[in-house]
Amino acid sequence: MQTKKLCLTLAIETSCDETSAAVLLNGRQVLANVISSQIPLHQKYGGVVPEIASRKHIENVLPVIDEALQEAGVTLADIDVIGVTYGPGLVGALLVGVAAAKTLAYASDKPLVAVNHLEGHIFANFISHPELEPPFAALVVSGGHTSLVHVKDYNSFSLLGQTVDDAAGEAFDKVARVLKLPYPGGPHIDRLAKEGNGQAIAFPRALAQKNSMNFSFSGLKSAVLNYLNSAMQKGETIVAADVAASFQSAVVDVLVIKAMQACEICQSKKLVLAGGVAANSALKKALAEECRERGYEFFYPEPVLCTDNAAMIASRAHYQYREGLVAELDLNAVPSLKLIDANLAD
Ligand code: KG4
Ligand code: ZN
Protein backbone atom coordinates (compact mmCIF):
# COMPACT_ATOMS: atom_id res chain seq x y z
CA MET A 1 0.00 0.00 0.00
CA GLN A 2 1.30 3.45 -0.91
CA THR A 3 1.16 6.03 1.85
CA LYS A 4 1.13 9.73 1.04
CA LYS A 5 4.13 11.77 1.98
CA LEU A 6 2.61 13.04 5.17
CA CYS A 7 0.82 10.29 7.02
CA LEU A 8 -1.17 10.99 10.19
CA THR A 9 -1.88 8.08 12.53
CA LEU A 10 -4.37 8.14 15.39
CA ALA A 11 -3.81 5.32 17.88
CA ILE A 12 -5.61 4.04 20.95
CA GLU A 13 -4.10 2.04 23.81
CA THR A 14 -6.21 0.47 26.60
CA SER A 15 -4.46 -2.84 27.34
CA CYS A 16 -4.04 -2.35 31.09
CA ASP A 17 -4.50 0.66 33.38
CA GLU A 18 -3.72 3.57 31.07
CA THR A 19 -6.25 5.02 28.63
CA SER A 20 -4.20 6.69 25.94
CA ALA A 21 -4.68 8.23 22.49
CA ALA A 22 -1.98 9.72 20.30
CA VAL A 23 -1.53 11.40 16.94
CA LEU A 24 1.75 10.84 15.11
CA LEU A 25 3.15 12.26 11.90
CA ASN A 26 4.97 9.72 9.71
CA GLY A 27 5.33 7.23 12.56
CA ARG A 28 8.00 9.18 14.42
CA GLN A 29 6.81 12.70 15.26
CA VAL A 30 4.42 12.99 18.21
CA LEU A 31 1.73 15.65 17.72
CA ALA A 32 -0.19 14.50 20.79
CA ASN A 33 0.16 11.69 23.33
CA VAL A 34 -2.59 11.91 25.93
CA ILE A 35 -2.32 9.40 28.79
CA SER A 36 -5.02 9.10 31.42
CA SER A 37 -3.56 6.91 34.16
CA GLN A 38 -5.75 4.88 36.48
CA ILE A 39 -2.87 4.11 38.85
CA PRO A 40 -4.30 6.09 41.82
CA LEU A 41 -7.57 4.17 41.44
CA HIS A 42 -5.93 0.74 41.62
CA GLN A 43 -3.34 1.66 44.25
CA LYS A 44 -5.57 0.90 47.22
CA TYR A 45 -6.00 -2.69 45.93
CA GLY A 46 -2.24 -3.16 45.48
CA GLY A 47 -2.63 -3.97 41.76
CA VAL A 48 -4.85 -3.56 38.72
CA VAL A 49 -8.48 -4.67 39.22
CA PRO A 50 -9.60 -5.72 35.69
CA GLU A 51 -13.29 -4.81 36.07
CA ILE A 52 -12.47 -1.33 37.38
CA ALA A 53 -9.94 -0.87 34.57
CA SER A 54 -12.52 -1.73 31.87
CA ARG A 55 -15.12 0.58 33.35
CA LYS A 56 -12.68 3.48 33.57
CA HIS A 57 -11.52 2.90 29.98
CA ILE A 58 -15.16 3.18 28.84
CA GLU A 59 -15.49 6.52 30.64
CA ASN A 60 -12.15 7.85 29.43
CA VAL A 61 -11.66 6.61 25.90
CA LEU A 62 -13.67 9.19 23.94
CA PRO A 63 -12.56 12.25 25.96
CA VAL A 64 -8.94 11.10 25.62
CA ILE A 65 -9.29 10.67 21.83
CA ASP A 66 -10.93 14.12 21.55
CA GLU A 67 -8.15 15.66 23.61
CA ALA A 68 -5.45 14.04 21.46
CA LEU A 69 -7.02 15.31 18.21
CA GLN A 70 -7.43 18.77 19.68
CA GLU A 71 -3.88 18.90 21.01
CA ALA A 72 -2.56 17.78 17.60
CA GLY A 73 -4.67 20.50 15.93
CA VAL A 74 -6.37 18.02 13.61
CA THR A 75 -9.80 16.47 13.13
CA LEU A 76 -10.73 12.87 12.46
CA ALA A 77 -11.10 13.78 8.78
CA ASP A 78 -7.36 14.61 8.61
CA ILE A 79 -6.33 11.21 9.97
CA ASP A 80 -5.00 8.64 7.46
CA VAL A 81 -4.99 5.50 9.58
CA ILE A 82 -6.31 4.34 12.94
CA GLY A 83 -4.19 1.98 15.05
CA VAL A 84 -5.23 0.10 18.16
CA THR A 85 -3.69 -2.33 20.64
CA TYR A 86 -5.52 -5.68 20.29
CA GLY A 87 -3.32 -7.74 22.64
CA PRO A 88 -1.75 -8.84 24.84
CA GLY A 89 -3.50 -7.41 27.90
CA LEU A 90 -6.67 -7.57 29.99
CA VAL A 91 -9.51 -8.71 27.76
CA GLY A 92 -12.14 -6.25 29.04
CA ALA A 93 -9.67 -3.37 28.84
CA LEU A 94 -8.51 -4.27 25.32
CA LEU A 95 -12.10 -4.60 24.08
CA VAL A 96 -12.83 -0.96 24.92
CA GLY A 97 -10.00 0.32 22.72
CA VAL A 98 -10.73 -2.17 19.95
CA ALA A 99 -14.45 -1.24 19.89
CA ALA A 100 -13.63 2.47 19.85
CA ALA A 101 -11.08 2.10 17.03
CA LYS A 102 -13.36 -0.09 14.91
CA THR A 103 -16.24 2.36 15.34
CA LEU A 104 -14.07 5.33 14.35
CA ALA A 105 -12.61 3.45 11.38
CA TYR A 106 -16.06 2.41 10.16
CA ALA A 107 -17.67 5.81 10.71
CA SER A 108 -14.85 7.73 9.02
CA ASP A 109 -14.01 5.08 6.40
CA LYS A 110 -10.35 4.94 7.43
CA PRO A 111 -8.07 1.90 7.46
CA LEU A 112 -7.68 0.09 10.78
CA VAL A 113 -4.39 -1.41 11.98
CA ALA A 114 -4.20 -4.01 14.78
CA VAL A 115 -1.11 -3.53 16.93
CA ASN A 116 0.67 -5.99 19.21
CA HIS A 117 1.38 -4.10 22.45
CA LEU A 118 4.86 -5.62 22.84
CA GLU A 119 5.89 -4.53 19.37
CA GLY A 120 4.54 -1.11 20.29
CA HIS A 121 6.94 -0.95 23.24
CA ILE A 122 9.88 -1.58 20.90
CA PHE A 123 8.66 1.11 18.48
CA ALA A 124 8.75 3.74 21.26
CA ASN A 125 12.44 3.83 20.41
CA PHE A 126 11.78 5.02 16.85
CA ILE A 127 10.10 8.08 18.36
CA SER A 128 12.88 8.81 20.85
CA HIS A 129 15.66 8.11 18.30
CA PRO A 130 14.86 9.46 14.82
CA GLU A 131 18.09 7.94 13.48
CA LEU A 132 17.34 4.39 14.69
CA GLU A 133 16.74 1.77 11.98
CA PRO A 134 16.44 -2.03 12.15
CA PRO A 135 18.07 -4.55 12.37
CA PHE A 136 18.81 -4.71 16.11
CA ALA A 137 18.36 -6.83 19.22
CA ALA A 138 15.63 -5.70 21.64
CA LEU A 139 15.03 -6.41 25.31
CA VAL A 140 11.36 -5.85 26.22
CA VAL A 141 10.82 -5.65 29.98
CA SER A 142 7.38 -4.71 31.21
CA GLY A 143 4.85 -5.57 33.91
CA GLY A 144 3.54 -8.50 31.91
CA HIS A 145 6.45 -9.53 29.68
CA THR A 146 10.18 -10.10 29.51
CA SER A 147 11.33 -10.94 26.00
CA LEU A 148 14.41 -10.83 23.80
CA VAL A 149 13.60 -10.10 20.20
CA HIS A 150 15.56 -9.94 16.97
CA VAL A 151 14.05 -6.99 15.09
CA LYS A 152 15.16 -7.78 11.55
CA ASP A 153 13.08 -5.16 9.82
CA TYR A 154 10.05 -2.96 10.61
CA ASN A 155 7.71 -5.91 10.06
CA SER A 156 9.95 -8.89 10.68
CA PHE A 157 10.78 -10.12 14.17
CA SER A 158 11.86 -13.32 15.79
CA LEU A 159 11.51 -14.15 19.45
CA LEU A 160 14.81 -15.28 20.96
CA GLY A 161 13.60 -15.95 24.50
CA GLN A 162 11.16 -14.92 27.20
CA THR A 163 10.32 -15.44 30.83
CA VAL A 164 9.07 -18.88 31.80
CA ASP A 165 7.20 -17.48 34.84
CA ASP A 166 7.05 -13.93 36.25
CA ALA A 167 7.86 -10.88 34.15
CA ALA A 168 10.62 -8.57 35.41
CA GLY A 169 8.14 -5.77 36.20
CA GLU A 170 5.86 -8.23 37.97
CA ALA A 171 8.78 -9.28 40.19
CA PHE A 172 9.51 -5.61 40.96
CA ASP A 173 5.85 -5.06 41.87
CA LYS A 174 5.60 -8.18 44.05
CA VAL A 175 8.81 -7.46 45.95
CA ALA A 176 7.71 -3.85 46.41
CA ARG A 177 4.45 -5.07 47.87
CA VAL A 178 6.17 -7.14 50.57
CA LEU A 179 8.37 -4.14 51.33
CA LYS A 180 5.10 -2.18 51.79
CA LEU A 181 5.83 0.18 48.89
CA PRO A 182 2.91 1.53 46.81
CA TYR A 183 1.76 0.06 43.47
CA PRO A 184 3.32 0.02 40.89
CA GLY A 185 6.44 -0.86 42.85
CA GLY A 186 9.13 -0.64 40.16
CA PRO A 187 9.82 3.11 40.45
CA HIS A 188 9.79 2.87 44.29
CA ILE A 189 12.33 0.01 44.33
CA ASP A 190 14.43 1.99 41.84
CA ARG A 191 14.44 4.98 44.22
CA LEU A 192 14.95 3.00 47.45
CA ALA A 193 17.75 0.90 45.91
CA LYS A 194 19.83 4.08 45.45
CA GLU A 195 20.15 4.25 49.26
CA GLY A 196 21.06 0.57 49.66
CA ASN A 197 23.90 -1.86 49.01
CA GLY A 198 23.31 -4.13 46.01
CA GLN A 199 25.85 -6.66 47.32
CA ALA A 200 24.33 -6.88 50.83
CA ILE A 201 22.23 -9.99 50.18
CA ALA A 202 23.16 -12.73 47.70
CA PHE A 203 19.89 -13.37 45.85
CA PRO A 204 19.85 -16.00 43.06
CA ARG A 205 20.47 -15.18 39.38
CA ALA A 206 18.28 -17.78 37.66
CA LEU A 207 19.38 -19.17 34.27
CA ALA A 208 22.08 -16.51 34.17
CA GLN A 209 24.95 -18.63 32.89
CA LYS A 210 22.88 -21.27 31.09
CA ASN A 211 22.89 -21.34 27.35
CA SER A 212 19.25 -20.33 27.25
CA MET A 213 17.61 -17.12 26.15
CA ASN A 214 14.77 -17.60 28.64
CA PHE A 215 14.33 -15.86 31.98
CA SER A 216 12.87 -16.94 35.32
CA PHE A 217 12.09 -14.47 38.10
CA SER A 218 9.73 -16.37 40.40
CA GLY A 219 12.59 -18.05 42.30
CA LEU A 220 14.13 -14.65 42.96
CA LYS A 221 10.82 -13.31 44.26
CA SER A 222 10.52 -16.36 46.60
CA ALA A 223 14.11 -15.87 47.76
CA VAL A 224 13.30 -12.29 48.78
CA LEU A 225 10.17 -13.46 50.65
CA ASN A 226 12.14 -16.23 52.40
CA TYR A 227 14.86 -13.78 53.37
CA LEU A 228 12.34 -11.37 54.88
CA ASN A 229 10.42 -14.13 56.75
CA SER A 230 13.58 -15.69 58.14
CA ALA A 231 14.98 -12.30 59.24
CA MET A 232 11.70 -11.49 60.98
CA GLN A 233 11.61 -14.86 62.74
CA LYS A 234 15.16 -14.36 63.98
CA GLY A 235 14.32 -10.83 65.08
CA GLU A 236 17.00 -9.38 62.79
CA THR A 237 16.76 -5.81 61.55
CA ILE A 238 15.65 -5.63 57.91
CA VAL A 239 17.30 -2.88 55.89
CA ALA A 240 14.66 -2.33 53.18
CA ALA A 241 17.06 -0.31 51.00
CA ASP A 242 19.56 -3.22 50.99
CA VAL A 243 16.81 -5.70 50.10
CA ALA A 244 15.62 -3.43 47.26
CA ALA A 245 19.17 -2.86 45.96
CA SER A 246 20.16 -6.54 46.20
CA PHE A 247 16.95 -7.67 44.48
CA GLN A 248 17.40 -5.06 41.74
CA SER A 249 21.05 -6.10 41.20
CA ALA A 250 19.95 -9.71 40.71
CA VAL A 251 17.35 -8.70 38.08
CA VAL A 252 19.73 -6.32 36.31
CA ASP A 253 22.61 -8.84 36.21
CA VAL A 254 20.47 -11.44 34.46
CA LEU A 255 18.95 -8.95 32.02
CA VAL A 256 22.39 -7.60 31.07
CA ILE A 257 23.93 -11.07 30.52
CA LYS A 258 21.02 -12.21 28.33
CA ALA A 259 20.83 -8.95 26.39
CA MET A 260 24.52 -9.27 25.48
CA GLN A 261 23.98 -12.90 24.44
CA ALA A 262 21.07 -11.74 22.28
CA CYS A 263 23.29 -9.17 20.53
CA GLU A 264 25.81 -11.94 19.82
CA ILE A 265 23.13 -14.30 18.46
CA CYS A 266 21.68 -11.55 16.23
CA GLN A 267 25.20 -10.39 15.31
CA SER A 268 23.94 -6.94 16.19
CA LYS A 269 25.93 -4.04 17.54
CA LYS A 270 22.72 -2.24 18.42
CA LEU A 271 20.71 -2.96 21.57
CA VAL A 272 17.25 -1.47 22.11
CA LEU A 273 15.58 -1.47 25.53
CA ALA A 274 11.79 -1.17 25.86
CA GLY A 275 8.84 -1.53 28.27
CA GLY A 276 8.02 -0.08 31.67
CA VAL A 277 11.15 -1.50 33.34
CA ALA A 278 13.23 0.35 30.71
CA ALA A 279 12.67 3.34 33.01
CA ASN A 280 14.85 1.63 35.66
CA SER A 281 17.97 3.71 36.28
CA ALA A 282 20.21 0.81 37.37
CA LEU A 283 19.27 -1.26 34.32
CA LYS A 284 19.95 1.62 31.91
CA LYS A 285 23.29 2.35 33.59
CA ALA A 286 24.44 -1.30 33.55
CA LEU A 287 23.41 -1.83 29.92
CA ALA A 288 25.00 1.45 28.86
CA GLU A 289 28.32 0.44 30.47
CA GLU A 290 28.31 -3.06 29.00
CA CYS A 291 27.42 -1.71 25.53
CA ARG A 292 30.14 0.94 25.74
CA GLU A 293 32.75 -1.69 26.60
CA ARG A 294 31.72 -3.80 23.62
CA GLY A 295 31.38 -0.88 21.20
CA TYR A 296 27.64 -1.39 20.83
CA GLU A 297 25.08 1.39 20.37
CA PHE A 298 22.43 1.44 23.12
CA PHE A 299 18.95 2.93 22.75
CA TYR A 300 16.11 3.40 25.22
CA PRO A 301 12.98 5.57 25.14
CA GLU A 302 12.38 8.69 27.21
CA PRO A 303 10.51 7.81 30.46
CA VAL A 304 7.00 8.77 29.28
CA LEU A 305 7.41 6.41 26.30
CA CYS A 306 8.70 3.48 28.45
CA THR A 307 5.41 2.84 30.23
CA ASP A 308 2.12 2.31 28.39
CA ASN A 309 1.19 5.05 25.90
CA ALA A 310 -0.55 5.32 22.54
CA ALA A 311 2.32 7.13 20.76
CA MET A 312 4.29 3.87 20.56
CA ILE A 313 1.17 2.11 19.23
CA ALA A 314 0.79 4.81 16.56
CA SER A 315 4.42 4.36 15.51
CA ARG A 316 3.97 0.59 15.16
CA ALA A 317 0.65 1.11 13.30
CA HIS A 318 2.33 3.49 10.82
CA TYR A 319 4.94 0.92 9.81
CA GLN A 320 2.32 -1.82 9.46
CA TYR A 321 0.13 0.47 7.32
CA ARG A 322 3.10 1.30 5.10
CA GLU A 323 3.33 -2.42 4.27
CA GLY A 324 -0.43 -2.79 3.76
CA LEU A 325 -0.88 -4.73 7.00
CA VAL A 326 -4.41 -3.53 7.75
CA ALA A 327 -7.10 -5.25 9.82
CA GLU A 328 -10.71 -6.10 9.06
CA LEU A 329 -13.59 -4.57 11.01
CA ASP A 330 -14.27 -7.93 12.69
CA LEU A 331 -11.02 -7.50 14.66
CA ASN A 332 -11.22 -8.95 18.16
CA ALA A 333 -9.06 -8.51 21.26
CA VAL A 334 -6.48 -11.28 21.81
CA PRO A 335 -5.52 -11.14 25.51
CA SER A 336 -2.71 -13.71 25.24
CA LEU A 337 -1.31 -12.52 21.90
CA LYS A 338 2.32 -13.57 21.50
CA LEU A 339 4.97 -11.43 19.96
CA ILE A 340 5.44 -13.82 17.11
CA ASP A 341 1.70 -14.26 16.38
CA ALA A 342 1.27 -11.00 14.59
CA ASN A 343 4.27 -11.31 12.34
CA LEU A 344 4.46 -12.48 8.84
CA ALA A 345 8.10 -13.07 8.19
CA ASP A 346 10.79 -14.76 10.21
O1 KG4 B 1 5.09 -1.46 30.07
P1 KG4 B 1 4.28 -1.18 31.27
O2 KG4 B 1 3.77 0.22 31.48
O3 KG4 B 1 3.04 -2.11 31.34
C1 KG4 B 1 2.99 -3.38 30.78
O4 KG4 B 1 2.86 -3.48 29.54
O5 KG4 B 1 3.12 -4.34 31.58
O6 KG4 B 1 5.17 -1.62 32.51
C2 KG4 B 1 4.76 -1.43 33.82
C3 KG4 B 1 5.82 -2.06 34.71
C4 KG4 B 1 5.40 -2.15 36.17
O7 KG4 B 1 5.66 -3.46 36.63
C5 KG4 B 1 6.29 -1.12 36.86
O8 KG4 B 1 6.60 -1.44 38.19
C6 KG4 B 1 7.54 -1.19 35.98
O9 KG4 B 1 7.03 -1.28 34.67
N1 KG4 B 1 8.38 0.01 36.13
C7 KG4 B 1 9.61 -0.03 36.64
C8 KG4 B 1 10.08 1.31 36.67
N2 KG4 B 1 9.11 2.12 36.15
C9 KG4 B 1 8.07 1.29 35.80
N3 KG4 B 1 10.35 -1.06 37.10
C10 KG4 B 1 11.57 -0.78 37.59
N4 KG4 B 1 12.08 0.48 37.66
C11 KG4 B 1 11.38 1.55 37.21
N5 KG4 B 1 11.90 2.78 37.29
ZN1 ZN C 1 3.11 -2.22 28.31
Side-chain angles (χ1 to χ4, degrees):
M1 186 175 294
Q2 277 289 310
T3 48
K4 38 178 212 189
K5 222 165 170 219
L6 294 180
C7 183
L8 276 180
T9 308
L10 167 70
I12 302 165
E13 154 66 38
T14 63
S15 67
C16 192
D17 56 352
E18 261 98 30
T19 319
S20 180
V23 178
L24 251 70
L25 179 63
N26 292 341
R28 299 234 181 190
Q29 193 186 334
V30 180
L31 302 186
N33 184 26
V34 177
I35 304 168
S36 167
S37 177
Q38 303 177 6
I39 287 176
L41 211 68
H42 297 282
Q43 235 157 17
K44 63 176 172 225
Y45 304 103
V48 179
V49 182
E51 288 77 11
I52 297 179
S54 315
R55 227 175 298 146
K56 270 289 148 192
H57 284 310
I58 292 173
E59 283 173 30
N60 290 341
V61 73
L62 293 180
V64 161
I65 293 169
D66 279 341
E67 197 181 327
L69 290 170
Q70 226 171 57
E71 206 178 297
V74 299
T75 66
L76 188 56
D78 301 316
I79 297 294
D80 296 288
V81 54
I82 297 170
V84 65
T85 304
Y86 78 112
L90 302 169
V91 65
L94 287 165
L95 279 170
V96 178
V98 168
K102 288 200 296 190
T103 310
L104 287 180
Y106 178 67
S108 61
D109 199 20
K110 310 274 183 200
L112 177 70
V113 173
V115 174
N116 180 316
H117 181 83
L118 298 179
E119 294 171 8
H121 272 301
I122 296 172
F123 277 60
N125 281 280
F126 292 127
I127 301 171
S128 292
H129 305 284
E131 75 286 8
L132 178 64
E133 299 276 353
F136 52 76
L139 170 62
V140 188
V141 268
S142 73
H145 300 271
T146 304
S147 312
L148 283 164
V149 185
H150 185 188
V151 178
K152 298 171 179 173
D153 206 341
Y154 287 103
N155 293 298
S156 172
F157 316 103
S158 72
L159 185 65
L160 302 169
Q162 60 191 334
T163 182
V164 295
D165 42 53
D166 288 354
E170 195 178 351
F172 267 97
D173 294 342
K174 286 177 177 168
V175 167
R177 200 171 170 165
V178 295
L179 290 176
K180 310 231 175 339
L181 297 169
Y183 175 85
H188 297 282
I189 297 245
D190 192 349
R191 232 167 285 137
L192 185 60
K194 292 196 173 99
E195 298 158 22
N197 173 7
Q199 312 301 320
I201 310 150
F203 288 131
R205 271 92 170 134
L207 303 177
Q209 304 304 339
K210 297 243 177 73
N211 214 6
S212 154
M213 285 285 93
N214 286 337
F215 302 91
S216 168
F217 292 110
S218 78
L220 170 59
K221 174 197 67 192
S222 304
V224 175
L225 284 176
N226 291 342
Y227 171 83
L228 292 172
N229 286 338
S230 140
M232 272 188 305
Q233 272 168 10
K234 289 184 205 152
E236 289 171 3
T237 318
I238 294 166
V239 184
D242 284 350
V243 177
S246 301
F247 158 77
Q248 185 174 267
S249 297
V251 176
V252 168
D253 280 357
V254 175
L255 292 175
V256 171
I257 289 170
K258 302 271 174 187
M260 294 306 128
Q261 284 173 2
C263 286
E264 283 160 24
I265 289 172
C266 303
Q267 296 182 317
S268 170
K269 287 182 178 259
K270 274 190 237 175
L271 176 70
V272 162
L273 179 63
V277 184
N280 185 268
S281 53
L283 177 61
K284 285 189 282 193
K285 188 164 172 264
L287 284 173
E289 271 168 20
E290 198 67 38
C291 284
R292 200 177 38 245
E293 272 174 27
R294 291 167 184 246
Y296 294 174
E297 283 182 281
F298 174 46
F299 302 87
Y300 55 86
E302 60 203 90
V304 69
L305 297 177
C306 286
T307 44
D308 292 348
N309 67 88
M312 67 187 196
I313 303 302
S315 177
R316 178 70 194 109
H318 171 84
Y319 286 98
Q320 286 175 253
Y321 177 59
R322 248 182 30 165
E323 297 290 316
L325 301 172
V326 295
E328 299 296 327
L329 286 177
D330 62 356
L331 175 71
N332 205 350
V334 183
S336 57
L337 184 69
K338 301 281 179 290
L339 197 120
I340 215 77
D341 286 358
N343 299 305
L344 306 170
D346 189 9

